[in-house]
């Protein structure tokens, strides 16, 4: 495809626009205007011809009028012919007038240009054969002749004949005079005027070439007459003309007015010339303006191109970008500047990246990287490769892999691999590739080969090797070690298995012993509980028994007194005694019933890990009450500081057991051999879910050596003196497993011990009953 | 593409452009008192050309008739001939009168252009191997026959010739031939010369002639002059026989002469009253075209043009027009074939005619 300079194409565009526009306009003008010019001109010629015809007709009318007057005079005054004839003849009009006898002889005549002698010679001439005389005699009317040669003057003449009683009056008009008169009119006419006689022969003209005078126009005029005024053209003076035609009714003469047609016509030509002039004018203006304008347009663009080249070739980033008056070009400049900056930034980034990469590749100590061509010729050889293979980069460059580090078979394999990579684009490796160093030593490498793009070769193939010689050696050593280790492990396992077996057996024994101990501890606890209960019940029941016994005795006494005679005082005394006794018995039995109810509740709670909703302080109260008989026999006080409103959805039985165990533990161990002591049970809400419950005593405290193991089973300070060493273990188990809380202990020897429990308000449901 | 189309377009343009017309000149007296002869010849020639053009021209080329007036002035005739030769005419039809022929031929002979005259009959130009052809035979035979006629029929012994010396070549030639025969027959011929023009005193000329007491008067003048002279003769002498040459043998003679020319005799090659279909047809065509009868110049002009056209058509390659005219005859004339002798002179036999009741009537 042909390339255009912007200036050229702009130039051509402007010129083409001008030309095409004008050609279109020109076509419209020419198509619309030229036929109009033709019509106008034809109309014009017809007007002109009619005008000439009218003028000639007027002239002839005037002459005819004059001759008519003469004829009337002659008809009236027969005698004086000559003066009348003389009066008719004037210069530049009627050249001769004569009277012809009915026989055709000239009787009298008057000439404008002849002497009398000559005039007299003509008297008596026979004019009977002349067409005019014949026509006048035939028609007996005024007759205009065609052009004819005058018998009298032998000049081309037009005759007017008026028949009279005494003959025919003929007035002759020299056609030259007539032609002069017509020419006077024709002079006013713009165009060629041709006057012909009836036969189409030339009479006079105005502006006709000489050749045209001598031909006969009859055929042309006939044709034009047939055309009327449509498309009437005539060939004149060797050119086409618009023709207008009129005919004199009197003479039968034709008046042809012709103006040059088409190109020869000034109006036509002017129109065409204007169009052509306009065309060339606009073309010229286009040609003048277009270079200037296109230069104006192209200059800023050239500046941008120049600037771009400076950027591209010299890397000129600093000089300013040209700005002009064309918005788009300024925008282009801005965008190019942006682009240049962006490219420059990107180039820097790429360069840095490349430097980084290159430096990394070049200096990586343990990764040998080489680039090969498709023919396995080395292109790049990094420092690690030098170290690995002993060849310097200079030595390696340009040599094939099998000339360096590989055997010929490996070389073939390598090239086949490269071909595969080139085809499929896959990455081969990592594969193990044993190589030969320059010094002949074999080394093991792990090699990865893949394709990378290259501007020169299209593609290069990068090979990244890791030296795994050491790894290989370590691997074989490790494999040896592993074999030994496995044997030792098997031996140890066997030993452990037997030890484990024994431990399991011992553990079984221990667990059995533990279960037995727990069982005995439970029985002991039950025993002391039964003793406590019995003791509690003993008082009210004893009181009741005593009251009833007393009543029985008094009843027997009353019976005896009644037998002696019943006295009123005795009856009243007895009734009083009955009231007292039943009152005492009733109160004590109520007390006993209350106690039994309380015990039953404890028993129910303790035996059936019944889950229910309860208030903490109620449970604490119940436990404290059950323990009160025991405490009554001691100097120790129990104080509870449990606020109400701490609702639990938990297991009250196990909780009571925990509290009972902790209180018993304090009494048995904390206050051992002491005469006073106080146990405080306090609780407080930690949050919506958790409650802290503390049991504190001010007893001896726990020996620090024991403290860490205090919740372990069989830990007791009173082994052999009644303690089972399971109390706190049970507490621990219940708190952690059944209630889902935690328990901790803190103690200072000689000052007291504090058990702190964190209990959830809602116990975990899946808790098993231990 | 454009380079390939351009020659083709040019070729088409050339092919489409009408071929140059064949130009033919005409010289005759078209103004003044002898205009009737010139106009008749011109009309005949123009009609022949127009008819040929309507039939497609010669070999596809149009014929163009360039017409010039000699105004009966030899200098003007010569200028006209030069003009026509310069315009590149292949031949000139004309001149119509012998007086012009000398000057015209001076130009045409030099230029190698053929001239065919419809009406020149002066003997001066006969029997010459030149480029001048005459359709009407030379005066010799006509003049002799006229002389014979009057010697035999009228018994005239003394003839006065009134000759228009404007056309002296013709009149001298004619009169010379006439005299030879007439004198041989024992007659005597006197000549009164005049020059036709506006100031011509016809009465004076006629008086001079009548003063010589002629047995017959011979007019060697144009139709108009002859008619007017005859009028003057008859005004003074009603009996003297009059004869004239073919020059005056046009319709104008009767128009101008009226009853004065009754009985006037002449010898001519043209028969107005012929019933020959070829002539009748021509007459009709001529009338259609010009609203008048052709007369002898109209026929002669047509014959000259027709002869020229046929010679041009029959001309073979390498053949000159003169050769064609000489070898390719005879050519079709309206009243009889046109046939040239080796010198390019037509050979036909004239017949005698007499004006009777306003018409030319063939005697014998």
């Amino acid at each position: 495809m042909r390339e255009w300079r912007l200036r050229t194409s702009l130039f051509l565009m402007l010129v083409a626009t001008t030309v095409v526009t004008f050609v279109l306009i020109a076509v419209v003008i020419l198509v619309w205007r030229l036929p109009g010019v033709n019509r106008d001109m034809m109309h014009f010629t017809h007007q002109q011809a009619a005008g000439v015809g009218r003028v000639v007709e007027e002239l002839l009318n005037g002459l005819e009028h004059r001759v008519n007057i003469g004829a009337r005079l002659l008809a009236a005054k027969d005698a004086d012919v000559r003066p009348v004839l003389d009066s008719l003849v004037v210069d530049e009009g009627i050249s001769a007038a004569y009277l012809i006898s009915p026989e055709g002889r000239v009787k009298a005549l008057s000439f404008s240009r002849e002497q009398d002698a000559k005039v007299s010679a003509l008297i008596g001439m026979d004019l009977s054969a002349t067409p005019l005389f014949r026509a006048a005699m035939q028609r007996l009317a005024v007759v205009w002749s065609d052009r004819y040669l005058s018998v009298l003057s032998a000049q081309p003449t037009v005759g007017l004949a008026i028949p009279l009683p005494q003959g025919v009056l003929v007035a002759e008009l020299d056609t030259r005079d007539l032609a002069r008169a017509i020419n006077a009119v024709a002079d006013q006419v713009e165009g060629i005027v041709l006057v012909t006689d009836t036969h189409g022969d030339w009479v006079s003209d105005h502006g006709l070439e000489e050749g045209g005078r001598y031909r006969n126009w009859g055929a042309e005029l006939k044709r034009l007459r047939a055309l009327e005024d449509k498309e009437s053209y005539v060939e004149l003076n060797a050119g086409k003309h618009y023709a207008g035609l009129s005919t004199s009714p009197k003479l039968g003469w034709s008046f042809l007015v012709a103006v040059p047609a088409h190109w020869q016509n000034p109006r036509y030509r002017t129109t065409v010339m204007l169009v052509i002039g306009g065309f060339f004018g606009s073309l010229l203006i286009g040609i003048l303006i277009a270079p200037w304008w296109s230069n104006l347009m192209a200059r800023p663009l050239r500046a941008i191109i120049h600037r771009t080249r400076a950027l591209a070739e010299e890397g000129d980033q600093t000089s300013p970008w040209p700005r002009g008056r064309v918005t788009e070009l300024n925008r282009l400049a801005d965008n190019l500047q942006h682009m240049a900056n962006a490219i420059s930034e990107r180039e820097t980034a790429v360069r840095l990246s490349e430097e980084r990469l290159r430096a990394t590749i070049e200096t990586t100590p343990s990764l040998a990287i080489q680039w090969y061509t498709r023919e396995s010729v080395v292109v790049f050889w990094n420092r690690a490769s030098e170290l690995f293979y002993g060849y310097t980069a200079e030595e390696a460059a340009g040599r094939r892999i099998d000339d360096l580090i590989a055997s010929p078979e490996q070389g073939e394999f390598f090239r086949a691999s490269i071909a595969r990579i080139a085809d499929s684009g896959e990455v081969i490796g990592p594969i193990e590739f044993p190589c030969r160093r320059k010094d002949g030593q074999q080394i093991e490498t792990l090699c990865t080969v893949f394709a990378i793009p290259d501007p020169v070769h299209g593609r290069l193939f990068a090979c990244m090797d890791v030296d795994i010689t050491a790894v290989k050696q370590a691997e074989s050593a490790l494999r040896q070690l592993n074999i030994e280790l496995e044997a030792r492990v098997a031996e140890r396992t066997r030993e452990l298995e037997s030890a484990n077996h024994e431990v399991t057996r011992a553990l079984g024994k221990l667990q059995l012993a533990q279960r037995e101990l727990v069982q005995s501890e439970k029985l002991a606890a039950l025993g002391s509980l039964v003793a406590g209960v019995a003791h509690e019940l003993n008082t009210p029941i004893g009181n009741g028994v005593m009251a009833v016994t007393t009543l029985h005795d008094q009843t027997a006494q009353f019976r005896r007194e009644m037998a002696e005679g019943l006295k009123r005082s005795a009856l009243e005394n007895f009734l009083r005694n009955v009231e007292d006794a039943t009152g005492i018995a009733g109160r004590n039995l109520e007390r006993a019933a209350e106690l039994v109810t309380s015990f039953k509740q404890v028993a129910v709670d303790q035996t059936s890990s019944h889950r229910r909703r309860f208030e903490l302080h109620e449970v604490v109260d119940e436990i404290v009450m059950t323990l009160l008989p025991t405490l009554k026999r001691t100097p120790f006080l129990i104080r509870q500081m449990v606020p109400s409103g701490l609702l639990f959805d938990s297991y009250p039985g196990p909780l009571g057991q925990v509290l009972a165990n902790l209180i018993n533990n304090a009494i048995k161990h904390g206050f051992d051999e002491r005469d006073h002591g106080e146990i405080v049970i306090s609780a407080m809400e930690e949050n919506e879910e958790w409650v802290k419950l503390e049991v504190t005593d001010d007893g001896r405290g726990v020996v620090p050596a024991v403290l860490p193991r205090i919740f372990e089973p069989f830990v007791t300070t009173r082994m052999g003196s009644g303690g089972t060493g399971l109390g706190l273990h049970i507490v621990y188990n219940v708190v952690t497993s059944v209630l889902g809380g935690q328990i901790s202990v803190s103690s200072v020897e000689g000052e007291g011990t504090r058990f702190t429990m964190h209990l959830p308000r809602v116990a975990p449901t899946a808790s098993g009953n231990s | 593409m454009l380079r390939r189309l351009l020659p083709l377009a040019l070729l088409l343009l050339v092919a489409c452009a009408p071929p140059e017309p064949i130009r033919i000149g005409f010289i005759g007296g078209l103004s003044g008192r002898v205009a009737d002869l010139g106009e008749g010849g011109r009309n005949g020639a123009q009609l022949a050309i127009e008819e040929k053009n309507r039939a497609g021209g010669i070999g596809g080329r149009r014929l163009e008739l360039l017409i010039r007036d000699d105004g009966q002035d030899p200098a003007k005739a010569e200028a006209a001939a030069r003009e026509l030769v310069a315009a590149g005419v292949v031949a000139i039809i004309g001149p119509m009168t012998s007086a012009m022929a000398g000057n015209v031929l001076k130009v045409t002979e030099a230029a190698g252009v053929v001239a065919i005259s419809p009406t020149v009959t002066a003997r001066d130009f006969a029997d010459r191997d030149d480029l001048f052809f005459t359709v009407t035979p030379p005066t010799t035979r006509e003049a002799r026959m006229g002389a014979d006629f009057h010697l035999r029929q009228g018994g005239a012994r003394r003839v006065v010739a009134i000759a228009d010396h404007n056309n002296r070549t013709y009149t001298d030639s004619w009169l010379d031939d006439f005299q030879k025969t007439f004198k041989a027959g024992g007659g005597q011929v006197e000549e009164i010369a005049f020059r036709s023009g506006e100031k011509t005193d016809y009465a004076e000329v006629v008086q001079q002639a009548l003063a010589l007491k002629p047995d017959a008067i011979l007019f060697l003048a144009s139709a108009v002059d002859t008619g007017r002279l005859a009028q003057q003769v008859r005004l003074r002498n009603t009996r003297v026989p009059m004869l004239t040459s073919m020059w005056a043998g046009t319709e104008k003679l009767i128009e101008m002469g009226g009853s004065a020319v009754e009985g006037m005799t002449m010898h001519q090659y043209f028969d107005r009253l012929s019933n020959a279909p070829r002539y009748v047809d021509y007459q009709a065509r001529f009338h259609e075209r010009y609203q008048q009868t052709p007369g002898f110049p109209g026929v002669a002009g047509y014959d000259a043009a027709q002869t020229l056209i046929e010679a041009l058509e029959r001309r073979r390659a390498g053949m000159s027009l003169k050769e064609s005219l000489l070898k390719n005859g005879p050519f079709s004339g309206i009243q009889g074939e046109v046939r040239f002798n080796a010198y390019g002179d037509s050979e036909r036999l004239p017949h005698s005619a007499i004006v009777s009741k306003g018409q030319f009537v063939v005697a014998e």
Side-chain angles (χ1 to χ4, degrees):
Chain A
M1 204 173 75
R2 188 164 169 189
E3 277 192 0
W4 298 87
R5 294 173 72 97
L6 177 69
R7 233 174 74 182
T8 316
S9 62
L10 276 171
F11 172 79
L12 289 176
M13 186 195 78
L14 282 165
V15 172
T17 309
T18 317
V19 170
V20 168
T21 309
F22 201 87
V23 163
L24 288 176
I25 293 167
V27 166
V28 169
I29 288 176
L30 293 180
V31 166
W32 171 76
R33 186 59 206 141
L34 291 184
V37 170
N38 283 349
R39 271 195 308 278
D40 291 353
M41 291 318 293
M42 279 174 205
H43 185 68
F44 171 77
T45 56
H46 281 94
Q47 297 281 327
Q48 297 279 350
V52 173
R54 257 196 317 278
V55 170
V56 171
E57 211 61 17
E58 287 300 317
L59 185 72
L60 297 176
N61 278 337
L63 292 171
E64 192 177 319
H65 184 64
R66 251 168 72 190
V67 177
N68 262 324
I69 292 169
R72 259 178 257 148
L73 286 171
L74 284 177
K77 288 163 60 181
D78 194 27
D80 260 343
V81 176
R82 185 65 197 273
V84 174
L85 294 181
D86 283 343
S87 73
L88 289 177
V89 174
V90 287
D91 283 341
E92 304 288 315
I94 295 164
S95 58
Y98 48 93
L99 187 66
I100 307 173
S101 70
E103 296 76 36
R105 299 263 167 204
V106 176
K107 282 162 78 177
L109 85 166
S110 175
F111 258 128
S112 67
R113 298 188 183 102
E114 302 281 343
Q115 294 85 8
D116 274 359
K118 210 171 164 193
V119 168
S120 57
L122 293 169
I123 301 288
M125 266 180 74
D126 178 23
L127 296 181
S128 58
T130 58
L132 184 59
F133 175 76
R134 285 186 182 178
M137 289 303 283
Q138 242 167 33
R139 285 186 234 163
L140 290 175
V142 175
V143 174
W144 281 92
S145 78
D146 191 9
R147 192 172 61 116
Y148 68 103
L149 277 177
S150 166
V151 182
L152 307 178
S153 64
Q155 287 301 323
T157 304
V158 172
L160 169 64
I162 301 174
L164 294 171
Q166 66 269 42
V168 175
L169 173 62
V170 176
E172 284 188 350
L173 287 77
D174 193 324
T175 50
R176 288 173 299 191
D177 292 340
L178 201 53
R180 261 195 296 278
I182 292 170
N183 276 343
V185 181
D187 279 341
Q188 312 295 315
V189 174
E190 187 188 319
I192 299 160
V193 180
L194 170 66
V195 184
T196 68
D197 63 13
T198 321
H199 305 298
D201 282 322
W202 176 87
V203 174
S204 112
D205 74 81
H206 176 74
L208 189 67
E209 279 178 4
E210 198 197 351
R213 291 181 186 172
Y214 308 127
R215 54 176 288 203
N216 182 281
W217 292 94
E220 282 293 327
L221 299 177
K222 198 171 163 187
R223 184 178 62 76
L224 288 174
R225 220 168 273 129
L227 284 173
E228 289 175 1
D229 56 356
K230 293 188 287 286
E231 291 298 306
S232 48
Y233 292 105
V234 68
E235 288 286 337
L236 270 183
N237 293 358
K240 205 172 188 185
H241 287 66
Y242 304 113
L245 189 66
S246 71
T247 306
S248 157
K250 285 193 185 347
L251 299 177
W253 287 12
S254 296
F255 307 101
L256 179 75
V257 174
V259 292
H262 299 165
W263 186 243
Q264 305 300 327
N265 185 275
R267 278 181 66 186
Y268 194 99
R269 202 165 50 230
T270 307
T271 307
V272 175
M273 287 306 284
L274 271 176
V275 169
I276 291 171
F279 172 75
F280 283 107
S282 55
L283 188 65
L284 187 69
I285 290 168
I287 285 171
L288 287 177
I289 286 180
W292 173 76
W293 188 265
S294 50
N295 196 37
L296 199 71
M297 296 295 293
R299 204 186 308 140
L301 202 59
R302 266 204 313 277
I304 290 174
I305 290 167
H306 186 73
R307 180 64 187 86
T308 320
R309 195 167 54 226
L311 176 70
E313 289 175 3
E314 297 149 29
D316 180 1
Q317 292 276 6
T318 48
S319 46
W321 283 79
R323 300 194 67 81
R325 298 173 73 172
V326 181
T327 317
E328 283 82 355
L329 293 180
N330 286 343
R331 248 182 246 159
L332 178 67
D334 291 346
N335 290 345
L336 283 172
Q337 188 170 9
H338 276 304
M339 194 169 80
N341 292 343
I343 287 172
S344 151
E345 279 167 19
R346 223 167 291 165
E347 264 177 2
T348 311
V350 166
R351 201 177 59 246
L352 287 175
S353 161
E354 200 168 323
E355 277 169 11
R356 280 200 297 273
L357 194 64
R358 192 84 186 188
T360 309
I361 289 172
E362 191 58 50
T363 56
T364 177
S366 56
L367 192 59
I369 298 168
Q370 309 100 46
W371 295 351
Y372 295 96
T373 65
R374 211 184 174 106
E375 291 73 36
S376 76
V377 175
V378 172
V379 177
F380 172 73
W381 191 265
N382 76 344
R383 210 167 303 155
S385 298
E386 291 179 343
L387 294 172
F388 271 30
Y389 302 115
Y391 292 99
T392 64
E394 289 74 28
E395 286 171 332
R399 291 170 72 184
R400 297 209 309 178
I401 190 168
D402 28 357
D403 299 333
L404 293 165
I405 54 172
S407 66
E409 297 78 34
Q410 281 178 311
E412 281 308 314
F413 171 74
F414 187 73
R415 276 186 289 281
S417 304
I418 282 176
R420 219 167 72 216
I421 293 167
D423 286 346
S424 62
E426 66 184 307
V427 175
I428 290 186
I431 53 168
E432 286 182 15
F433 197 78
C435 296
R436 188 179 65 241
R437 278 174 58 88
K438 189 183 180 185
D439 54 17
Q441 189 191 336
Q442 281 289 331
I443 56 170
E444 293 286 338
T445 64
L446 198 60
C447 168
T448 305
V449 185
F450 52 88
I452 55 171
D454 183 75
V456 180
H457 299 83
R459 268 174 162 192
L460 285 177
F461 299 89
C463 181
M464 303 201 329
D465 308 330
V466 180
D467 185 355
I468 54 166
T469 316
V471 174
K472 279 275 179 188
Q473 287 165 356
E475 194 181 284
S476 70
L478 190 62
R479 201 176 300 129
Q480 192 56 43
L481 271 174
N482 265 350
I483 293 164
E484 289 170 16
L485 191 63
E486 271 167 22
R488 276 160 67 187
V489 165
E491 195 183 329
R492 294 276 167 84
T493 307
R494 273 194 306 280
E495 286 170 10
L496 277 170
E497 269 173 0
S498 67
N500 189 38
H501 190 66
E502 287 188 8
V503 167
T504 311
R505 218 164 48 206
L507 189 64
K509 285 177 188 168
L510 277 170
Q511 281 172 338
L512 186 65
Q514 187 184 11
R515 273 197 300 279
E516 284 169 0
L517 277 169
V518 167
Q519 201 60 39
S520 66
E521 181 70 6
K522 278 184 178 171
L523 287 172
L526 187 62
S528 65
L529 187 68
V530 169
V533 167
H535 178 76
E536 280 297 308
L537 286 173
N538 193 39
T539 307
I541 291 172
N543 291 344
V545 168
M546 191 182 76
V548 170
T549 309
T550 308
L551 184 63
H552 185 265
D553 290 345
Q554 287 168 343
T555 308
Q557 194 181 343
F558 181 67
R559 202 174 289 268
R560 278 180 318 264
E561 285 174 8
M562 210 174 53
E564 293 168 4
L566 190 48
K567 294 183 269 189
R568 184 177 172 95
S569 61
L571 185 56
E572 283 177 355
N573 197 34
F574 178 67
L575 287 174
R576 208 169 36 247
N577 286 339
V578 167
E579 276 174 355
D580 287 346
T582 52
I584 291 165
R587 278 198 303 276
N588 278 287
L589 283 173
E590 272 173 25
R591 170 76 183 141
E594 193 185 322
L595 282 172
V596 167
T597 309
S598 180
F599 290 147
K600 201 165 100 192
Q601 188 63 50
V602 171
V604 168
D605 285 352
Q606 283 194 336
T607 53
S608 67
S609 300
H610 181 63
R611 184 179 176 131
R612 65 181 174 92
R613 298 173 69 84
F614 58 90
E615 276 240 34
L616 182 62
H617 77 95
E618 284 175 1
V619 173
V620 174
D621 282 349
E622 280 168 10
I623 292 302
V624 169
M625 191 175 286
T626 56
L627 291 179
L628 274 178
T630 314
L631 288 169
K632 274 184 184 163
R633 284 173 294 174
T634 64
F636 309 129
L637 296 173
I638 190 160
R639 190 147 64 94
Q640 61 163 306
M641 296 170 67
V642 178
S644 61
L646 292 175
L647 272 171
F648 272 74
D649 175 12
S650 190
Y651 302 95
L655 180 61
Q657 191 182 359
V658 166
L659 287 171
N661 278 8
L662 289 174
I663 292 165
N664 281 328
N665 190 63
I667 293 165
K668 281 177 187 165
H669 303 296
F671 303 142
D672 189 29
E673 298 168 358
R674 286 175 68 142
D675 54 355
H676 70 280
E678 190 183 34
I679 297 165
V680 178
I681 300 169
S682 64
M684 63 177 289
E685 187 177 9
E686 281 186 315
N687 52 42
E688 282 184 4
E689 289 169 8
W690 292 86
V691 169
K692 187 165 85 176
L693 181 63
E694 282 180 340
V695 177
T696 314
D697 66 63
D698 53 355
R700 295 192 306 175
V702 182
V703 184
V706 178
L707 197 61
R709 304 191 288 121
I710 197 159
F711 294 117
E712 289 181 10
F714 315 117
V715 174
T716 179
T717 52
R718 284 163 49 93
M719 191 58 89
S721 60
T724 59
L726 285 171
L728 288 179
H729 177 62
I730 290 167
V731 165
Y732 181 82
N733 274 348
V734 170
V735 169
T736 54
S737 59
V738 178
L739 299 177
Q742 295 113 37
I743 183 162
S744 60
V745 61
S746 64
S747 176
V748 177
E749 204 172 4
E751 287 183 9
T753 308
R754 173 179 291 166
F755 290 92
T756 307
M757 285 168 279
H758 300 277
L759 298 174
R761 290 192 180 200
V762 179
T765 50
S767 70
N769 191 3
S770 60
Chain B
M1 193 69 178
L2 191 70
R3 246 174 270 164
R4 254 183 292 158
L5 281 179
L6 201 64
L8 191 71
L10 283 174
L11 200 71
L12 280 172
L13 268 174
V14 169
C16 287
E20 272 290 286
I22 298 172
R23 294 201 173 85
I24 295 170
F26 179 91
I27 296 176
L30 295 166
S31 57
R33 51 191 63 211
V34 291
D36 57 324
L37 187 73
E39 278 178 7
R42 192 253 349 247
N43 284 352
Q46 199 178 335
L47 183 59
I49 302 286
E50 283 171 4
E51 284 175 356
K52 190 66 201 171
N53 279 337
R54 270 202 293 281
I58 295 176
R61 291 173 71 185
R62 278 185 67 255
L63 301 176
E64 190 183 352
L65 189 64
L66 305 177
I67 305 166
R68 291 294 179 272
D69 176 30
D70 59 30
Q72 289 301 296
D73 176 356
K76 206 176 163 192
E78 192 180 325
R82 281 190 204 289
E83 225 176 284
L84 291 175
V85 166
V89 296
V90 294
I92 290 173
I93 297 170
M96 295 298 286
T97 50
S98 303
M100 303 298 117
N103 287 52
V104 169
L105 260 57
K106 217 160 62 186
V107 177
T108 54
E109 293 294 328
V113 173
V114 167
I116 303 178
S117 173
T119 50
V120 166
T121 49
R123 203 162 19 79
D124 302 41
F125 308 107
D127 303 331
R128 289 199 335 209
D129 184 13
D130 53 14
L131 293 167
F132 187 56
F133 291 76
T134 55
V135 172
T136 309
T139 50
T140 321
R141 194 168 287 170
E142 179 202 346
R144 283 179 191 160
M145 284 179 80
D148 271 348
F149 183 82
H150 281 278
L151 283 170
R152 273 186 289 111
Q153 304 264 324
R157 286 297 173 267
R158 188 180 177 81
V159 168
V160 172
I162 300 176
D164 178 0
H165 273 203
N166 274 346
N167 195 8
R168 191 168 178 181
T169 319
Y170 172 79
T171 56
D172 282 359
S173 162
W174 211 95
L175 199 57
D176 191 34
D177 285 331
F178 185 83
Q179 268 179 333
K180 275 180 190 159
T181 309
F182 204 71
K183 279 181 180 164
Q188 188 188 347
V189 179
E190 299 280 342
E191 187 188 9
I192 302 291
F194 76 102
R195 281 189 180 271
S196 174
E198 272 189 50
K199 306 288 183 204
T200 311
D201 190 341
Y202 294 98
E204 172 66 27
V205 172
V206 169
Q207 269 169 9
Q208 283 178 27
L210 288 175
L212 295 171
K213 308 279 183 212
D215 297 331
I217 297 178
L218 168 63
F219 297 105
L220 293 174
S222 70
V224 173
D225 289 332
T226 305
R228 293 192 58 177
L229 288 165
Q231 292 263 13
Q232 292 300 321
V233 171
R234 285 288 175 261
L235 284 173
R236 289 167 178 79
N237 182 336
T238 53
R239 289 168 295 102
V240 66
M242 294 185 284
L243 67 155
T244 185
S245 73
M246 210 158 44
W247 185 14
T250 76
E251 274 46 45
K252 282 278 182 271
L253 177 66
I254 294 165
E255 274 183 31
M256 299 300 267
S259 59
V261 294
E262 281 288 310
M264 188 182 276
T265 59
M266 72 194 73
H267 283 81
Q268 57 181 26
Y269 298 93
F270 174 64
D271 179 7
R272 276 175 186 74
L273 302 175
S274 165
N275 286 321
R278 198 177 163 74
Y279 171 66
V280 172
D281 182 49
Y282 174 69
Q283 225 179 357
R285 297 204 310 271
F286 194 90
H287 195 270
E288 162 75 18
R289 173 70 176 80
Y290 300 110
Q291 288 84 45
Q292 56 194 2
T293 51
F296 107 83
V299 171
Y302 187 88
D303 281 352
Q306 189 61 30
T307 298
L308 178 60
I309 288 165
E310 285 177 13
L312 285 168
E313 273 182 325
R314 292 177 198 173
R315 185 168 58 155
R316 285 188 296 277
M319 191 184 242
S320 70
L321 180 57
K322 177 184 174 181
E323 279 177 293
S324 182
L325 281 163
L326 291 175
K327 291 176 184 165
N328 287 335
F331 305 98
S332 47
I334 296 297
Q335 290 192 342
E337 291 175 339
V338 175
R339 204 186 288 270
F340 297 110
N341 65 17
Y343 305 112
D345 305 327
S346 178
E347 293 184 327
R348 277 198 271 182
L349 270 178
H351 49 78
S352 66
I354 187 165
V355 177
S356 169
K357 292 174 185 161
Q359 282 194 316
F360 291 98
V361 178
V362 176
E364 293 171 324

